[in-house]
Amino acid sequence: MKESYHHGDLRAALLEAGLDHLNRHDAETLSLRALARSVGVSATAVYRHFPDKTALVAALAREGLARLADAQKKAAAECRPSESAFAATGRAYVRFALENPALFRLTFASAPVESADEPTEAARMLRENAARRLPDGASAGHVEAEALRAWALVHGIAMLMLDGQIAADPDLVEALIPA
Amino acid sequence: MKESYHHGDLRAALLEAGLDHLNRHDAETLSLRALARSVGVSATAVYRHFPDKTALVAALAREGLARLADAQKKAAAECRPSESAFAATGRAYVRFALENPALFRLTFASAPVESADEPTEAARMLRENAARRLPDGASAGHVEAEALRAWALVHGIAMLMLDGQIAADPDLVEALIPA
DNA sequence: CGGCAATGATAACAGTGTCAACATGAAAGA
DNA sequence: TCTTTCATGTTGACACTGTTATCATTGCCG
């Protein structure tokens, strides 16, 4: 298994190293050179796969978003019919943030989640659940507002906990996200 | 008005320059050297007033927090008795974030707001308003949870708008923060 | 007036993102 | 099979950053 001049799949290796870094350190200490070093490649090789640092960060953000969506979908699927799927996905959102603080931050500090034309799977689920909480025949505007409020609530809880403003306590998460 | 060797009040000048920078650019581009340059002083003079960059940033965060509290207090004072003071302070919170995006972010990304022993003025107001929304004799825990939910809601709205996840539209703010 | 502490300046170091120029090698065309 | 091409890596350099050690100036206090 000789070290060959060409890496094979440097792009994927860099992203993996980036995610690995975010598991243990925060996003500000993420350095292209360090990433390249950890993968065993020169600093500038990165530029064959990403135009600049923000592009690499954006790719990490996409991965973070995908993982968050996965966590939510899984939570909704595993939730017993006796409890609200809405609350379950909301709690999963906060739990993901607490378990992946750096990645979560980077995901949202980076780029808009929803490309305006094509709504995300997660966004669709969100609206459905919001509609279910309102009286039948609620206007689309009301549904949208309810959905955004729910999103903002869990996002705010996550952020305030990550920033140390309120205790990052799973029990508190339960208490704050109503069934 | 000769340029003297000693500056007079370099610390204040640096903070002012920092706030000025945050008015037009984001926090990642905030550089000690650039700040020093803009004030007309050598790069290392900063270290006579702040042990390191994070200390300067923390000072900026304190200022940001104070301004946010001011904006909220003013909003509560100017709010007509016909409308909820709670909603008014919440909307002021989001408005402040939209008007001072970089400062707002830095304020919360930096250090915990509330030193656990001594509750902030803003925190006290928050709890009062939360209690007013609950039936009389609600438990302290319920009041606390209601207060945190309200904070998280406005904080989430602010963050999602700053991150471009939802439209940074003042009308939407009105719609999302219930009276 | 003399000295001291506060406050400044210079020089240097390690580290960063990024560009230009050059090197390698895998795959495609002859 | 030989050759050429082009994606991929490398080296070297530049401007910038935070930070430290060392030296310079000066306002204030006795």
Side-chain angles (χ1 to χ4, degrees), chain B residues 5 31-33 37 44 47 52-53:
Chain B
Y5 190 86
S31 137
L32 286 194
R33 296 182 100 110
R37 233 175 293 141
T44 56
Y47 289 84
D52 55 13
K53 186 182 182 180

Short mmCIF file of all heavy atoms in Angstrom, two decimals, chain B residues 5 31-33 37 44 47 52-53, chain D residues 17-22 24-26:
data_model
loop_
_atom_site.label_atom_id
_atom_site.label_comp_id
_atom_site.label_asym_id
_atom_site.label_seq_id
_atom_site.Cartn_x
_atom_site.Cartn_y
_atom_site.Cartn_z
N TYR B 5 2.17 61.46 21.90
CA TYR B 5 2.62 60.06 21.99
C TYR B 5 1.55 59.22 22.69
O TYR B 5 1.20 58.14 22.23
CB TYR B 5 3.92 60.01 22.78
CG TYR B 5 4.62 58.70 22.77
CD1 TYR B 5 5.50 58.36 21.75
CD2 TYR B 5 4.42 57.77 23.77
CE1 TYR B 5 6.15 57.15 21.73
CE2 TYR B 5 5.05 56.54 23.78
CZ TYR B 5 5.93 56.24 22.75
OH TYR B 5 6.56 55.03 22.74
N SER B 31 -10.35 42.73 13.07
CA SER B 31 -8.94 42.45 13.29
C SER B 31 -8.33 43.47 14.25
O SER B 31 -8.54 44.68 14.10
CB SER B 31 -8.20 42.47 11.96
OG SER B 31 -6.97 43.15 12.05
N LEU B 32 -7.60 42.99 15.21
CA LEU B 32 -6.93 43.89 16.16
C LEU B 32 -6.04 44.88 15.43
O LEU B 32 -6.05 46.08 15.70
CB LEU B 32 -6.06 43.08 17.13
CG LEU B 32 -6.79 42.30 18.22
CD1 LEU B 32 -5.80 41.84 19.27
CD2 LEU B 32 -7.87 43.14 18.84
N ARG B 33 -5.27 44.39 14.49
CA ARG B 33 -4.33 45.26 13.78
C ARG B 33 -5.08 46.35 13.02
O ARG B 33 -4.68 47.52 13.04
CB ARG B 33 -3.48 44.43 12.83
CG ARG B 33 -2.59 43.43 13.56
CD ARG B 33 -1.71 42.65 12.59
NE ARG B 33 -0.37 43.18 12.53
CZ ARG B 33 0.70 42.57 13.01
NH1 ARG B 33 0.59 41.39 13.58
NH2 ARG B 33 1.88 43.13 12.93
N ARG B 37 -4.82 50.30 13.58
CA ARG B 37 -4.51 51.17 12.45
C ARG B 37 -5.54 52.29 12.34
O ARG B 37 -5.18 53.46 12.19
CB ARG B 37 -4.51 50.33 11.17
CG ARG B 37 -3.26 50.45 10.34
CD ARG B 37 -3.32 49.48 9.17
NE ARG B 37 -3.26 48.07 9.60
CZ ARG B 37 -3.97 47.10 9.07
NH1 ARG B 37 -4.81 47.36 8.08
NH2 ARG B 37 -3.84 45.86 9.51
N THR B 44 0.46 46.68 18.65
CA THR B 44 0.61 46.08 19.97
C THR B 44 0.15 46.99 21.10
O THR B 44 0.11 46.56 22.25
CB THR B 44 2.06 45.67 20.21
OG1 THR B 44 2.87 46.83 20.03
CG2 THR B 44 2.49 44.59 19.25
N TYR B 47 -2.58 45.80 23.45
CA TYR B 47 -2.34 44.88 24.56
C TYR B 47 -2.09 45.59 25.88
O TYR B 47 -1.96 44.94 26.92
CB TYR B 47 -1.18 43.95 24.21
CG TYR B 47 -1.57 42.96 23.14
CD1 TYR B 47 -1.51 43.31 21.79
CD2 TYR B 47 -2.04 41.71 23.48
CE1 TYR B 47 -1.90 42.42 20.81
CE2 TYR B 47 -2.43 40.81 22.51
CZ TYR B 47 -2.35 41.17 21.17
OH TYR B 47 -2.75 40.28 20.20
N ASP B 52 -6.02 40.06 25.39
CA ASP B 52 -5.98 39.44 24.08
C ASP B 52 -7.24 39.78 23.30
O ASP B 52 -8.09 40.53 23.78
CB ASP B 52 -5.78 37.93 24.17
CG ASP B 52 -6.84 37.30 25.05
OD1 ASP B 52 -7.82 37.98 25.37
OD2 ASP B 52 -6.69 36.12 25.41
N LYS B 53 -7.37 39.21 22.13
CA LYS B 53 -8.48 39.59 21.27
C LYS B 53 -9.82 39.24 21.89
O LYS B 53 -10.78 40.02 21.81
CB LYS B 53 -8.34 38.90 19.91
CG LYS B 53 -9.37 39.36 18.91
CD LYS B 53 -9.23 38.63 17.57
CE LYS B 53 -10.25 39.15 16.58
NZ LYS B 53 -10.16 38.49 15.27
P DT D 17 -4.67 42.41 8.99
OP1 DT D 17 -6.02 42.98 9.10
OP2 DT D 17 -3.46 43.24 9.21
"O5'" DT D 17 -4.58 41.16 9.98
"C5'" DT D 17 -5.60 40.16 9.97
"C4'" DT D 17 -5.19 39.02 10.87
"O4'" DT D 17 -3.98 38.45 10.37
"C3'" DT D 17 -4.85 39.42 12.27
"O3'" DT D 17 -6.03 39.43 13.06
"C2'" DT D 17 -3.89 38.32 12.73
"C1'" DT D 17 -3.30 37.80 11.42
N1 DT D 17 -1.84 38.06 11.24
C2 DT D 17 -0.92 37.23 11.79
O2 DT D 17 -1.23 36.26 12.47
N3 DT D 17 0.39 37.55 11.54
C4 DT D 17 0.85 38.61 10.78
O4 DT D 17 2.04 38.82 10.61
C5 DT D 17 -0.18 39.46 10.23
C7 DT D 17 0.20 40.65 9.38
C6 DT D 17 -1.45 39.16 10.48
P DG D 18 -5.95 40.15 14.50
OP1 DG D 18 -7.36 40.26 14.96
OP2 DG D 18 -5.12 41.37 14.38
"O5'" DG D 18 -5.17 39.11 15.42
"C5'" DG D 18 -5.82 37.91 15.79
"C4'" DG D 18 -4.91 37.07 16.67
"O4'" DG D 18 -3.63 36.90 16.03
"C3'" DG D 18 -4.62 37.69 18.04
"O3'" DG D 18 -4.60 36.65 19.01
"C2'" DG D 18 -3.24 38.32 17.84
"C1'" DG D 18 -2.58 37.38 16.86
N9 DG D 18 -1.59 38.06 16.01
C8 DG D 18 -1.76 39.19 15.26
N7 DG D 18 -0.70 39.56 14.59
C5 DG D 18 0.24 38.61 14.93
C6 DG D 18 1.60 38.50 14.52
O6 DG D 18 2.25 39.22 13.76
N1 DG D 18 2.22 37.38 15.08
C2 DG D 18 1.60 36.49 15.94
N2 DG D 18 2.35 35.49 16.38
N3 DG D 18 0.33 36.60 16.32
C4 DG D 18 -0.28 37.68 15.78
P DT D 19 -4.47 37.06 20.56
OP1 DT D 19 -5.03 35.97 21.38
OP2 DT D 19 -4.96 38.44 20.73
"O5'" DT D 19 -2.89 37.05 20.77
"C5'" DT D 19 -2.16 35.86 20.47
"C4'" DT D 19 -0.69 36.10 20.68
"O4'" DT D 19 -0.14 36.85 19.59
"C3'" DT D 19 -0.35 36.89 21.95
"O3'" DT D 19 0.30 36.00 22.85
"C2'" DT D 19 0.57 38.02 21.47
"C1'" DT D 19 0.97 37.56 20.08
N1 DT D 19 1.24 38.66 19.12
C2 DT D 19 2.47 38.68 18.50
O2 DT D 19 3.33 37.84 18.70
N3 DT D 19 2.65 39.72 17.61
C4 DT D 19 1.75 40.72 17.30
O4 DT D 19 2.04 41.59 16.50
C5 DT D 19 0.50 40.64 17.99
C7 DT D 19 -0.55 41.68 17.75
C6 DT D 19 0.30 39.63 18.86
P DT D 20 0.71 36.52 24.32
OP1 DT D 20 0.47 35.41 25.24
OP2 DT D 20 0.11 37.84 24.57
"O5'" DT D 20 2.30 36.72 24.20
"C5'" DT D 20 3.11 35.69 23.65
"C4'" DT D 20 4.52 36.21 23.44
"O4'" DT D 20 4.54 37.11 22.31
"C3'" DT D 20 5.09 36.99 24.63
"O3'" DT D 20 6.28 36.34 25.10
"C2'" DT D 20 5.36 38.39 24.09
"C1'" DT D 20 5.45 38.15 22.58
N1 DT D 20 5.01 39.32 21.77
C2 DT D 20 5.87 39.83 20.83
O2 DT D 20 6.98 39.38 20.62
N3 DT D 20 5.38 40.91 20.13
C4 DT D 20 4.14 41.51 20.29
O4 DT D 20 3.82 42.47 19.61
C5 DT D 20 3.30 40.92 21.30
C7 DT D 20 1.95 41.49 21.56
C6 DT D 20 3.76 39.87 21.98
P DA D 21 7.01 36.81 26.45
OP1 DA D 21 7.46 35.57 27.12
OP2 DA D 21 6.17 37.78 27.19
"O5'" DA D 21 8.29 37.57 25.87
"C5'" DA D 21 8.93 37.08 24.70
"C4'" DA D 21 10.08 38.00 24.31
"O4'" DA D 21 9.60 39.03 23.42
"C3'" DA D 21 10.76 38.74 25.47
"O3'" DA D 21 12.14 38.89 25.20
"C2'" DA D 21 10.04 40.09 25.47
"C1'" DA D 21 9.84 40.31 23.98
N9 DA D 21 8.68 41.16 23.66
C8 DA D 21 7.46 41.14 24.28
N7 DA D 21 6.60 42.01 23.78
C5 DA D 21 7.33 42.64 22.78
C6 DA D 21 6.99 43.67 21.88
N6 DA D 21 5.79 44.26 21.85
N1 DA D 21 7.95 44.08 21.01
C2 DA D 21 9.14 43.49 21.04
N3 DA D 21 9.58 42.50 21.84
C4 DA D 21 8.60 42.13 22.69
P DT D 22 13.09 39.60 26.29
OP1 DT D 22 14.38 38.88 26.23
OP2 DT D 22 12.35 39.71 27.55
"O5'" DT D 22 13.31 41.06 25.69
"C5'" DT D 22 13.81 41.19 24.35
"C4'" DT D 22 13.72 42.65 23.91
"O4'" DT D 22 12.34 43.03 23.71
"C3'" DT D 22 14.30 43.67 24.91
"O3'" DT D 22 15.33 44.40 24.27
"C2'" DT D 22 13.10 44.54 25.28
"C1'" DT D 22 12.22 44.38 24.05
N1 DT D 22 10.78 44.67 24.29
C2 DT D 22 10.14 45.59 23.52
O2 DT D 22 10.68 46.19 22.61
N3 DT D 22 8.81 45.78 23.82
C4 DT D 22 8.08 45.15 24.83
O4 DT D 22 6.91 45.41 25.01
C5 DT D 22 8.82 44.20 25.61
C7 DT D 22 8.14 43.46 26.72
C6 DT D 22 10.11 44.00 25.31
P DA D 24 15.62 52.20 23.36
OP1 DA D 24 16.50 52.87 22.37
OP2 DA D 24 16.02 52.09 24.78
"O5'" DA D 24 14.19 52.91 23.30
"C5'" DA D 24 13.58 53.10 22.04
"C4'" DA D 24 12.44 54.10 22.15
"O4'" DA D 24 11.36 53.52 22.94
"C3'" DA D 24 12.78 55.43 22.82
"O3'" DA D 24 12.14 56.44 22.09
"C2'" DA D 24 12.23 55.27 24.24
"C1'" DA D 24 11.01 54.38 24.00
N9 DA D 24 10.64 53.50 25.10
C8 DA D 24 11.45 52.62 25.74
N7 DA D 24 10.84 51.93 26.69
C5 DA D 24 9.54 52.40 26.65
C6 DA D 24 8.40 52.08 27.39
N6 DA D 24 8.39 51.16 28.36
N1 DA D 24 7.24 52.74 27.10
C2 DA D 24 7.26 53.66 26.11
N3 DA D 24 8.28 54.04 25.34
C4 DA D 24 9.39 53.37 25.67
P DT D 25 12.44 57.95 22.31
OP1 DT D 25 12.43 58.60 20.98
OP2 DT D 25 13.61 58.02 23.21
"O5'" DT D 25 11.17 58.49 23.11
"C5'" DT D 25 9.91 58.48 22.45
"C4'" DT D 25 8.82 58.66 23.48
"O4'" DT D 25 8.95 57.65 24.48
"C3'" DT D 25 8.82 59.99 24.23
"O3'" DT D 25 7.67 60.68 23.80
"C2'" DT D 25 8.78 59.59 25.71
"C1'" DT D 25 8.33 58.14 25.63
N1 DT D 25 8.71 57.22 26.73
C2 DT D 25 7.73 56.77 27.58
O2 DT D 25 6.56 57.10 27.51
N3 DT D 25 8.17 55.89 28.55
C4 DT D 25 9.47 55.44 28.73
O4 DT D 25 9.76 54.65 29.63
C5 DT D 25 10.44 55.95 27.80
C7 DT D 25 11.87 55.52 27.90
C6 DT D 25 10.02 56.81 26.85
P DT D 26 7.54 62.24 24.01
OP1 DT D 26 6.79 62.79 22.87
OP2 DT D 26 8.87 62.76 24.40
"O5'" DT D 26 6.60 62.29 25.30
"C5'" DT D 26 5.47 61.41 25.37
"C4'" DT D 26 4.96 61.33 26.79
"O4'" DT D 26 5.65 60.28 27.52
"C3'" DT D 26 5.15 62.60 27.62
"O3'" DT D 26 3.96 62.83 28.31
"C2'" DT D 26 6.26 62.23 28.57
"C1'" DT D 26 5.89 60.77 28.82
N1 DT D 26 6.94 59.95 29.45
C2 DT D 26 6.58 59.06 30.43
O2 DT D 26 5.44 58.90 30.81
N3 DT D 26 7.64 58.34 30.96
C4 DT D 26 8.98 58.44 30.60
O4 DT D 26 9.82 57.74 31.14
C5 DT D 26 9.27 59.39 29.56
C7 DT D 26 10.68 59.58 29.11
C6 DT D 26 8.25 60.10 29.05
#
